[in-house]
Amino acid sequence: MDVTIFGSGYVGLVTGACLAEVGNRVLCIDIDPAKIDLLNQGGIPIFEPGLAALVERNRASGRLTFSNDPAEGVAHGLFQFIAVGTPPDEDGSADLRHVLAVARTIGDHMDAYRIIVDKSTVPVGTADRVAAQVRESLTARGAEVEFDVVSNPEFLKEGAAIEDFMRPDRIVVGTDNPRTGELLRALYAPFNRSHNRVMLMDIRSAELTKYAANALLATKISFMNELSNIAEAVGADIEQVRVGIGSDPRIGYQFIYPGCGYGGSCFPKDVRALERTARSVGYQAELLGAVEAVNLRQKEVLFAKIRDHFAGNLSGRTLALWGLAFKPNTDDMREASSRRLMEALWQAGAKVRAFDPVAMEEAQRLYGDRPDLTLVQDPLDALAGADGLVIVTEWHQFRGIDFTAVKTRLKTPVVFDGRNLFDPRQVSASGLTYYSIGRTPTTPA
């Protein structure tokens, strides 16, 4: 099938590459000429495991092409995917300017039936606004062209997006036209062979499903972080509590790991947007507000532990920081806990020596050259001259560290673990003071 994707960022590029991989002819449109040039030269603008090879293979075969000509995109595909950003507005609601701009573009150039697919994460009612914008553009041209608008939210995890797309848990399609639903079912047939994963529903329910999924996962994280603070205060071990409650099949082990707060492009934005949607219809979503408040507070926990350990005097100290991305297997630092921590340390007069396997360029882009930030190419190099080690992202390579080597390199033998990667007794046996989340700090015997 012929497919057009508007937006060549994370969702658009993964969607386009995966649809091309199963034989579709995909044209990705983006208004950023530098991004299109990079893609046409064989590069990709984001880090996602396996994506570079997938894009290059399909680009070389001719199934995946890139352009900044929107008219070409509208002419190309029966399916017109909208996969542009919906950043949070000042009041927390989703900013739909880019989505509606694409809708306007489609209406300006469309001369045959098109299925417009909202792939971006958008509030309930967006499909109606997209349809209205397309109709307005058609009317301005004096044209009458049939089209349908479909909600088809993405459920991609950064770091595992290709696997999620190629072997999905579910494919949600919101439509009010049965014919359109069958066309989407045909498009997704290659990803739907072992059993039916396509879930057809009305458009508004599909739009809400995406927000509901992310809000529920964020709620589990914030609830566990709330419990971790209680556990630490009463002398319990949150990791033992986690195992105890996770064994209940009604709860399970997923998304109940305590830590130093969630980040990224989805959970923070989507929780706020859903809470804003509720307010717009006169409902006060108190739980969603609490989820966000707990997460913001949790991002301050590591700094508080560091400040208290050094008796409030951080001026002139240096902290080694392992992990900049908001989660492993991505270079995404949007709303990452590392950012909140580094900025608090700088404000307190401390310096940071940081390492991340893939997010170093992103950190350089965000913060530039500054005297209180040193980006190093090896995790052990970050420890040189540091007063303590802070672990913020749970990269696998950090799990097998040599604590003796860590102690040897640190000026002050202390570790602050924001992801509970280690057994406290093992760390303290190596001569290190160890702080974690929801557990009593341990000191060398």
Side-chain angles (χ1 to χ4, degrees), residues 100-409:
L100 296 177
V102 174
R104 186 180 308 113
T105 295
I106 294 172
D108 287 343
H109 298 286
M110 182 173 62
D111 58 8
Y113 175 69
R114 292 291 181 263
I115 299 172
I116 302 167
V117 184
D118 284 339
K119 199 70 174 171
S120 301
T121 300
V122 293
V124 176
T126 297
D128 293 339
R129 295 184 63 182
V130 167
Q133 181 61 70
V134 174
R135 281 193 295 269
E136 181 180 321
S137 296
L138 289 172
T139 300
R141 294 167 48 205
E144 292 186 11
V145 183
E146 184 185 3
F147 68 93
D148 283 300
V149 179
V150 175
S151 175
N152 175 221
E154 54 86 12
F155 296 95
L156 306 177
K157 298 186 296 292
E158 291 193 45
I162 294 172
E163 177 72 14
D164 287 344
F165 199 101
M166 301 299 282
R167 297 176 180 83
D169 297 318
R170 73 284 208 197
I171 301 167
V172 172
V173 176
T175 179
D176 53 13
N177 185 336
R179 178 188 65 177
T180 306
E182 292 308 310
L183 287 169
L184 265 294
R185 193 188 295 277
L187 178 66
Y188 281 114
F191 313 99
N192 195 37
R193 293 195 177 278
S194 61
H195 65 273
N196 182 29
R197 295 181 175 88
V198 174
M199 301 177 182
L200 294 177
M201 60 184 71
D202 67 86
I203 294 173
R204 287 185 171 236
S205 295
E207 291 172 331
L208 183 56
T209 296
K210 168 64 176 181
Y211 277 120
N214 279 353
L216 180 56
L217 295 175
T219 299
K220 292 183 72 173
I221 295 170
S222 279
F223 178 76
M224 204 64 191
N225 283 334
E226 191 86 295
L227 277 183
S228 74
N229 296 328
I230 297 171
E232 192 165 337
V234 301
D237 184 333
I238 192 61
E239 291 299 323
Q240 295 182 33
V241 175
R242 178 181 64 81
V243 173
I245 65 175
S247 61
D248 186 331
R250 296 172 300 174
I251 298 172
Y253 290 104
Q254 291 188 315
F255 285 85
I256 61 167
Y257 288 86
C260 50
Y262 61 75
S265 64
C266 295
F267 287 4
K269 171 175 71 71
D270 293 353
V271 169
R272 288 193 292 265
L274 183 55
E275 193 272 337
R276 181 66 180 82
T277 296
R279 266 192 286 142
S280 72
V281 293
Y283 182 76
Q284 187 68 30
E286 295 178 3
L287 179 58
L288 296 177
V291 168
E292 174 71 3
V294 168
N295 188 58
L296 292 174
R297 184 178 64 197
Q298 196 69 14
K299 290 183 178 182
E300 300 172 358
V301 166
L302 273 181
F303 176 76
K305 291 178 183 291
I306 297 167
R307 181 196 59 211
D308 292 348
H309 177 81
F310 291 106
N313 182 20
L314 292 175
S315 181
R317 295 193 180 275
T318 299
L319 278 301
L321 192 150
W322 285 3
L324 294 166
F326 85 92
K327 61 179 284 189
N329 297 318
T330 181
D331 61 352
D332 193 344
M333 289 181 62
R334 284 175 287 186
E335 303 212 31
S337 299
S338 64
R339 297 180 64 176
R340 180 70 66 90
L341 175 60
M342 287 193 295
E343 289 161 12
L345 289 170
W346 293 332
Q347 188 172 6
K351 296 181 179 180
V352 173
R353 293 176 59 83
F355 168 81
D356 188 283
V358 301
M360 305 287 273
E361 289 186 12
E362 179 65 4
Q364 181 68 39
R365 185 188 71 82
L366 288 169
Y367 293 112
D369 295 323
R370 49 184 301 159
D372 49 10
L373 173 62
T374 303
L375 300 174
V376 300
Q377 298 303 315
D378 183 271
L380 292 179
D381 288 346
L383 306 176
D387 293 286
L389 167 62
V390 189
I391 301 172
V392 185
T393 312
E394 62 274 32
W395 286 95
H396 283 298
Q397 73 181 83
F398 299 157
R399 296 177 185 271
I401 63 172
D402 180 348
F403 292 114
T404 301
V406 170
K407 182 177 183 295
T408 300
R409 286 168 171 78

